[in-house]
Amino acid sequence: MSEAPYRYTAAVADEIERRWQQRWDEEGTFFADNPVGSLRATTDSLAQAATASSEPAEKMYIMDMFPYPSGSGLHVGHPLGYIATDVVARHQRMMGKNVLYTMGYDAFGLPAEQYAVQTGTHPRTTTESNVANMRRQLHRLGLSHDSRRSLATTDPEFMKWTQWIFLRIFDSWYDPEATNADGITGRARPIAELRAELRAGTVDPFALADRQSITLPETWVGRSVADVTAASDAEISRLADSFRLTYISETPVNWCPGLGTVLANEEVTTEGRSERGNFPVFTRRLRQWNMRITAYADRLIDDLDRVDWPESIRSMQRNWIGRSDGAQITFPAAGLAGNPEASFDVFTTRADTLFGATFCVLSPEHSLLEDPSALPAQWPEGTKDAWTGGAATPRAAVEAYRVRAASLGEDERTAEDREKTGVFTGLIATNPMDGREVPVFTADYVLTGYGTGAIMAVPAEDERDFAFADRFELPIIRTVKPADDFEGGAWTGDGEKINSANADLDLNGLDKDEAKARATQYAEDRGFGRARTTFRLRDWLFSRQRYWGEPFPIVYDPAHPEVPIPLPESMLPVDLPEVADFSPKTFDPMDADTEPQTPLSRADDWVEVELDLGEGPKTYLRETNTMPQWAGSSWYHLRYIDPTEDDVLVRAENEEYWLGAREDGGVGGVDLYVGGVEHAVLHLLYARFWHKVLFDRGDVSSQEPFHRLFNQGYIQAYAYTDSRGVYVPAEEVVAEADGTYSYQGEPVTQEYGKMGKSLKNAVAPDDMYEEFGADTLRVYEMSMGPLDVSRPWETRAVVGSQRFLQRLWRLAVDEETGDMVVSDAPADLATQQATHRAIDGVSRDMSQMHFNTAIAKLIELVNHLTKVGTAPREAVEPLVLMVAPLAPHLAEELWSRLGHDDSISRAPYPVADPELVKADMVTCVVQVKGKVRHRIEVDPEISEADLEARVMAEERVQEVLEGQTIRKVIVRAPKIVNIVV
RNA sequence: GCCGGGUUGGCGGAAUGGUAGACGCGGCGCACUCAAAAUGCGCUGUCCGUGAGGGCGUGCGGGUUCGAGUCCCGCACCCGGCACCA
């Protein structure tokens, strides 16, 4: 080490990196200018803009999925995506773009709250220290963030606008007939406009409610549009309230009295107990806030075709939304006490099979079964023993079945191999096609949350219905002719219609699609059905019984506790109260009938508040639920744009500049959004939904939040367990010659997967800085493979990236003296060509985010220059410029030592000279029957005729062709000649 | 079951239908050194051959093509998502 005092070691790297990071901070090197407002051009960048041109720089908005500021430090897997976006941001700046690039923190959430419950430390304290720690760790990587735009979702000034958006959505209803400025049908409109339309009778609330599956207040059920126009203002107002995009409803949730909280499905085990604490969990209807995301289902699917996202993610979203086109058919049902006109609706995607419906099935939670005592008191004639479930009457059978169904967990109920169960309800429905009487069953294979919660069963063409019919000895009528080799069961394939005719309609002989259309039309003409689209997507359960989340900007008048009252913007933000206890009240774990008592509900001084909301000072009660963690992440991309504005969410000029619709036909949004695939559905769907509401309400000009999405892979790692299954430190595991592994002489088992502290295989970035420096870590992570593929971490391979940077350094700096050794003499032709070929290839790779191959080409150039001896400036300068996005500190240092005063951050990226990219000679491959037999060096411009002549004249070729007849010669100058014999 | 993605040396990975294995790790050898480290240079898919060269090779089986890791058909395995969704 003493021999080379100026070698690029970790210590030298550390000094360089800290020095440049400080300078970047001091000079605000990475500040991005807004068109207007407080983040308008700084003096420096104004000066720079003036020297360039009067045109504003082209923009580029690059964003990472922001992290939760966890307390347990980073490992080297975390920053993979951040390094990649930083490389893109730095490259784009050198390409002359105005780059918006920053980092925020998704800081509400459970860990800080749980830590608070255990230790009494306020979540805000924990959160702030974690954010500070994470900022420091990321800063050390040299990420070129605009620090002025950084935020945390817990900042009161951020939370204010989260609450403001909540109110915006609360103030909206979805008008499926309204057209947006740019031709999209369906739009959120102010609730006041709905009240006006209801008053004027220009909207039919009953049709609208039916279309959006909205339950109207009971006083309005069964009334007409004429009743609406004649109603009082208060009544109209209540009616309009049912259409809000944010609403309260009794929603089935996972209630865990032992923890005193409602749980997400992921937090409930297959045994129906809480993951944490192992308490019983009950499915109960509780009063909850919801967001009507289902109103946007069509647009959320359709606009997936207008964004540049991986196909896999788009397909996951389509899948999740689950649009399915079919028909809703009404079946009259006889046998219900006091209701001779009873009927129920079924949803089917196979209206063509109506003639094959031989029974119907209601979900156990279906409204017709809510009062089993209205069911027949005796089994109707023809009831088979198997249908009764052993009960004496339909009432008893259904009652027992419903109780059983309620006690089953979701997982048990939907277990794949479970045999079909169910009981006959005693009700008899009429098939509207041919008047056939069919029995009505209840069975838990029909789900209450999908379609209408009721089906017509067509055992001949549906596997589930077939299994049920088989078990309960129900008739089967085929309405599609199966293929000849069909072996029985349900035929779900295509085929000619059979057995499908009544006096007025004959579907026989038609194909599936034609028959579907005809049957649906027939149902519509006769008034017993219509085409309908259903979605798998459910509305968004938006309330949580937690402390560490955004409070709702909602109060209640104690006289009307069922009517939520929005607070005016002037009263935002609603801050969290100080409380003594951050945990919700817990109950007897077995007592399902308890009600959640949120942490906020016990802050009496906060809950009860005197306000003047236009009726003079009055006492109101605050909403005590908090918002889910998804809230902040649904819109932070907007706040990055205008983080300092206090009077507006985001200024229109700035939003349009950074997110506006694109020339290539894109609908706007962040230019590049990088993050893990785990957010493929929920976060991205919620953010798209909020963004679309804001678009509809005129708050933003872009229709999608994220134009281009990129999912980075994960850095994975090997973990090792000993004979007891306990993890041992991966670092100290030794690979044995026979391919096994051992730790302290004992054999251990290798597994491959995530990196994590508990798996004892986490590698801390700090250790990498100490051993190699941040630039080496950056280059290593970018060189490991394509960004979207997961790959294993290998500390021992990091040295390769360090050697690359050391060789680069050595090209310019004498390791003994520290002097610059770059030559100002002109480079030889081979070096010029090597340089320009590298520029050409690296430029292409960089713009496609192929950093691994870009680095390979840079290494090749460095290796070439190493062989040359003294490196010429005309090669070293472009090389340093190309390295700058990847290893920015080293590049800045060399750039400065090469005599440049300005930061390399906005130096223009090198451009290849096409003349020097062209090769003088290329290798032409001579193949015989597709096998390589010879190679010759030829001029790249050689004509096909000349090339063929050259090849045929070669001695070696003659030799190989000896005694064979040439049938054909394929010439692709200058690369290949294939001789077919 | 359905949807999406994948399978290339000892390892990470390169290859607009046209020289399979760029670049890196590891390994082997040489130079420098008393020696080691570091550095530089060379070799490194596999089998046969002293060599020139040849055989075989991109999960498996077919096909298209003058030519296939790449395109098409079928299959196996792996990863991810959804799933009694009517």
Side-chain angles (χ1 to χ4, degrees):
Chain A
M1 193 150 336
S2 56
E3 295 170 54
Y6 293 95
R7 171 163 298 173
Y8 181 73
T9 58
V12 169
D14 186 77
E15 189 275 323
I16 292 173
E17 287 164 6
R18 289 177 192 279
R19 183 152 44 77
W20 280 100
Q21 283 164 12
Q22 195 184 343
R23 182 162 158 196
W24 293 332
D25 290 344
E26 285 166 5
E27 297 184 356
T29 308
F30 308 117
F31 287 2
D33 302 328
N34 278 351
V36 299
S38 60
L39 298 190
R40 212 163 49 84
T42 60
T43 323
D44 279 354
S45 61
L46 272 177
Q48 194 178 351
T51 59
S53 73
S54 56
E55 286 287 299
E58 211 180 317
K59 63 93 186 186
M60 172 67 55
Y61 186 175
I62 300 164
M63 204 173 135
D64 292 289
M65 290 186 188
F66 66 172
Y68 176 78
S70 148
S72 58
L74 295 179
H75 62 64
V76 291
H78 290 120
L80 178 69
Y82 308 154
I83 295 171
T85 49
D86 187 58
V87 173
V88 176
R90 288 175 177 276
H91 176 239
Q92 290 294 321
R93 266 185 219 107
M94 294 176 76
M95 298 295 286
K97 301 271 179 68
N98 185 21
V99 175
L100 172 43
Y101 178 55
T102 188
M103 178 63 84
Y105 298 88
D106 193 13
F108 277 120
L110 213 46
E113 182 177 308
Q114 280 171 341
Y115 187 71
V117 170
Q118 285 159 21
T119 65
T121 315
H122 197 284
R124 188 170 292 284
T125 312
T126 315
T127 302
E128 279 173 3
S129 94
N130 287 352
V131 166
N133 187 44
M134 207 149 174
R135 276 210 174 100
R136 186 186 53 73
Q137 284 189 297
L138 295 180
H139 185 257
R140 185 65 189 77
L141 264 173
L143 302 177
S144 60
H145 294 142
D146 182 343
S147 52
R148 304 168 306 169
R149 297 173 187 265
S150 184
L151 53 82
T153 52
T154 48
D155 298 339
E157 49 280 19
F158 183 89
M159 193 167 79
K160 167 181 171 177
W161 294 102
T162 308
Q163 292 169 341
W164 184 91
I165 295 171
F166 172 92
L167 292 174
R168 196 55 137 183
I169 301 171
F170 180 80
D171 180 61
S172 300
W173 64 292
Y174 196 78
D175 180 353
E177 306 297 340
T179 306
N180 265 312
D182 71 337
I184 303 162
T185 304
R187 170 160 63 95
R189 299 172 60 193
I191 203 81
E193 292 182 13
L194 177 59
R195 285 195 286 263
E197 294 221 13
L198 288 171
R199 166 65 66 211
T202 49
V203 64
D204 177 350
F206 307 103
L208 189 63
D210 183 48
R211 185 160 172 175
Q212 298 185 7
S213 302
I214 290 171
T215 315
L216 294 177
E218 256 174 52
T219 51
W220 281 104
V221 172
R223 297 171 69 185
S224 69
V225 176
D227 296 332
V228 177
T229 50
S232 70
D233 284 349
E235 282 179 300
I236 284 195
S237 183
R238 286 297 306 283
L239 181 57
D241 283 348
S242 350
F243 293 90
R244 291 183 187 273
L245 292 184
T246 304
Y247 63 97
I248 296 171
S249 79
E250 296 271 322
T251 311
V253 291
N254 303 307
W255 167 236
C256 180
L259 291 174
T261 183
V262 163
L263 298 174
N265 286 334
E266 298 76 37
E267 298 167 311
V268 183
T269 65
T270 40
E271 288 82 39
R273 302 180 79 89
S274 63
E275 193 122 77
R276 194 161 45 91
N278 199 32
F279 292 111
V281 173
F282 303 91
T283 304
R284 266 200 63 187
R285 285 179 181 273
L286 288 172
R287 180 191 164 280
Q288 299 288 322
W289 282 92
N290 293 272
M291 291 229 172
R292 207 179 302 285
I293 190 173
T294 50
Y296 281 78
D298 273 316
R299 278 166 67 187
L300 289 170
I301 283 192
D302 293 342
D303 283 355
L304 286 171
D305 295 333
R306 304 164 77 182
V307 292
D308 182 8
W309 286 19
E311 183 50 40
S312 60
I313 305 297
R314 295 196 292 178
S315 135
M316 277 160 76
Q317 292 220 343
R318 279 190 206 105
N319 223 317
W320 186 264
I321 297 167
R323 177 156 67 191
S324 141
D325 292 316
Q328 182 165 315
I329 306 288
T330 304
F331 279 68
L336 216 54
N339 193 354
E341 298 290 297
S343 70
F344 58 90
D345 291 337
V346 303
F347 174 74
T348 178
T349 55
R350 293 293 303 274
D352 62 302
T353 63
L354 255 167
F355 285 101
T358 55
F359 59 103
C360 289
V361 187
L362 310 179
S363 70
E365 297 82 5
H366 196 276
S367 58
L368 280 189
L369 307 179
E370 225 148 58
D371 175 17
S373 67
L375 294 171
Q378 286 171 14
W379 290 112
E381 203 160 319
T383 302
K384 296 183 180 166
D385 286 349
W387 299 2
T388 64
T393 65
R395 293 174 183 179
V398 169
E399 184 132 36
Y401 192 78
R402 276 166 51 90
V403 168
R404 235 191 89 204
S407 72
L408 285 182
E410 185 75 7
D411 285 304
E412 290 168 276
R413 187 167 154 172
T414 59
E416 206 172 319
D417 46 356
R418 192 165 155 257
E419 202 167 359
K420 296 269 177 294
T421 62
V423 294
F424 181 36
T425 62
L427 301 173
I428 305 288
T430 307
N431 186 322
M433 275 294 182
D434 50 16
R436 234 173 338 107
E437 293 199 330
V438 296
V440 179
F441 284 75
T442 181
D444 62 9
Y445 83 91
V446 174
L447 308 175
T448 185
Y450 185 77
T452 59
I455 62 158
M456 63 173 199
V458 187
E461 279 99 29
D462 183 281
E463 281 167 16
R464 298 152 300 183
D465 296 346
F466 183 90
F468 193 86
D470 193 44
R471 174 124 196 259
F472 291 89
E473 299 163 35
L474 289 153
I476 295 168
I477 302 173
R478 297 219 171 267
T479 69
V480 182
K481 197 175 167 199
D484 292 341
D485 59 355
F486 178 59
E487 286 167 6
W491 173 253
T492 54
D494 289 333
E496 189 179 307
K497 298 303 299 182
I498 52 174
N499 300 326
S500 300
N502 62 24
D504 307 311
L505 179 70
D506 185 353
L507 303 177
N508 291 328
L510 299 178
D511 67 19
K512 195 156 89 180
D513 290 339
E514 176 69 18
K516 253 187 223 177
R518 297 271 282 273
T520 307
Q521 188 58 51
Y522 179 83
E524 197 154 352
D525 294 346
R526 302 291 162 120
F528 66 82
R530 61 188 169 83
R532 194 186 144 173
T533 302
T534 60
F535 298 89
R536 202 193 78 99
L537 182 70
R538 303 269 66 91
D539 276 342
W540 176 9
L541 176 65
F542 197 71
S543 41
R544 300 289 184 272
Q545 294 71 50
R546 313 255 201 234
Y547 174 77
W548 195 227
E550 298 90 343
F552 284 67
I554 291 284
V555 295
Y556 301 91
D557 182 340
H560 304 282
E562 73 288 356
V563 184
I565 303 167
L567 292 174
E569 185 182 326
S570 60
M571 294 185 187
L572 303 184
V574 177
D575 287 317
L576 282 165
E578 296 302 319
V579 295
D581 183 0
F582 301 106
S583 47
K585 183 175 156 88
T586 57
F587 302 90
D588 173 355
M590 296 307 293
D591 189 356
D593 291 329
T594 43
E595 291 277 339
Q597 226 190 72
T598 64
L600 297 190
S601 67
R602 278 172 285 136
D604 296 335
D605 294 352
W606 179 83
V607 173
E608 211 175 294
V609 60
E610 195 172 279
L611 300 168
D612 185 350
L613 297 177
E615 297 175 14
K618 274 176 62 175
T619 299
Y620 294 91
L621 299 175
R622 289 191 191 275
E623 168 66 52
T624 67
N625 280 287
T626 52
M627 298 188 197
Q629 201 179 351
W630 305 110
S633 61
S634 295
W635 76 281
Y636 69 117
H637 58 285
L638 294 171
R639 195 59 183 173
Y640 280 161
I641 293 173
D642 249 340
T644 57
E645 292 296 334
D646 195 42
D647 57 343
V648 65
L649 174 76
V650 55
R651 281 193 183 227
E653 295 93 331
N654 293 334
E655 187 274 333
E656 214 173 318
Y657 173 72
W658 289 111
L659 293 180
R662 306 159 58 91
E663 280 172 18
D664 63 10
V667 287
V670 172
D671 295 283
L672 177 65
Y673 190 33
V674 175
V677 72
E678 72 271 20
H679 294 301
V681 180
L682 296 182
H683 157 59
L684 289 169
L685 210 52
Y686 296 150
R688 294 180 65 215
F689 164 52
W690 277 30
H691 200 93
K692 284 182 183 305
V693 177
L694 292 173
F695 169 76
D696 288 355
R697 293 298 305 269
D699 299 311
V700 297
S701 70
S702 44
Q703 294 171 36
E704 284 283 336
F706 314 116
H707 172 71
R708 178 167 182 211
L709 176 71
F710 190 98
N711 292 116
Q712 96 272 7
Y714 295 95
I715 290 183
Q716 306 203 284
Y718 293 102
Y720 302 87
T721 50
D722 63 18
S723 54
R724 295 166 301 163
V726 177
Y727 286 100
V728 303
E731 220 179 324
E732 294 164 42
V733 168
V734 182
E736 300 294 337
D738 60 356
T740 63
Y741 298 89
S742 69
Y743 169 66
Q744 295 179 347
E746 297 295 319
V748 291
T749 313
Q750 188 189 52
E751 39 184 83
Y752 178 62
K754 280 188 168 170
M755 193 177 266
K757 266 193 184 159
S758 59
L759 306 173
K760 298 223 177 131
N761 61 357
V763 177
D766 296 0
D767 295 343
M768 293 298 106
Y769 304 150
E770 199 172 315
E771 208 175 330
F772 304 103
D775 278 334
T776 295
L777 175 65
R778 291 170 59 111
V779 169
Y780 174 64
E781 295 214 1
M782 291 301 97
S783 69
M784 291 167 80
L787 192 59
D788 54 354
V789 176
S790 296
R791 76 294 307 250
W793 175 264
E794 224 182 325
T795 299
R796 123 189 130 156
V798 180
V799 71
S801 299
Q802 188 187 35
R803 291 208 271 250
F804 160 53
L805 296 182
Q806 280 178 334
R807 289 171 136 224
L808 167 62
W809 173 264
R810 201 176 295 128
L811 286 177
V813 180
D814 186 305
E815 292 189 334
E816 300 299 329
T817 64
D819 295 338
M820 291 302 280
V821 293
V822 172
S823 138
D824 283 313
D828 60 58
L829 182 64
T831 297
Q832 288 181 335
Q833 288 175 329
T835 305
H836 283 265
R837 272 173 216 150
I839 295 172
D840 182 57
V842 171
S843 298
R844 237 174 307 120
D845 288 342
M846 290 296 285
S847 58
Q848 292 172 85
M849 297 207 291
H850 293 170
F851 305 126
N852 55 329
T853 51
I855 290 168
K857 289 176 178 109
L858 292 170
I859 292 173
E860 282 182 282
L861 180 55
V862 166
N863 290 348
H864 171 89
L865 294 173
T866 300
K867 286 198 179 83
V868 163
T870 307
R873 175 178 290 270
E874 69 175 285
V876 173
E877 290 211 337
L879 174 59
V880 169
L881 287 165
M882 285 190 281
V883 165
L886 296 154
H889 313 87
L890 174 63
E892 287 275 24
E893 182 67 16
L894 289 177
W895 191 242
S896 145
R897 290 182 184 221
L898 283 162
H900 300 274
D901 292 333
D902 287 338
S903 165
I904 201 170
S905 301
R906 289 173 204 273
Y909 205 77
V911 178
D913 176 350
E915 282 305 312
L916 289 168
V917 172
K918 265 193 298 195
D920 329 301
M921 295 297 266
V922 296
T923 306
C924 175
V925 174
V926 182
Q927 296 181 336
V928 177
K929 276 171 70 181
K931 287 193 186 288
V932 180
R933 283 292 113 103
H934 191 49
R935 299 180 169 84
I936 55 172
E937 294 297 310
V938 299
D939 186 287
E941 308 282 307
I942 193 167
S943 73
E944 305 226 317
D946 289 351
L947 180 59
E948 184 173 345
R950 272 277 317 271
V951 165
M952 298 321 264
E954 285 283 313
E955 197 176 321
R956 163 93 181 126
V957 173
Q958 302 282 341
E959 200 180 296
V960 174
L961 290 174
E962 185 72 49
Q964 309 206 58
T965 321
I966 297 171
R967 294 223 308 262
K968 197 173 175 186
V969 179
I970 288 118
V971 183
R972 293 285 177 274
K975 300 270 294 190
I976 208 155
V977 175
N978 192 3
I979 303 165
V980 187
V981 294

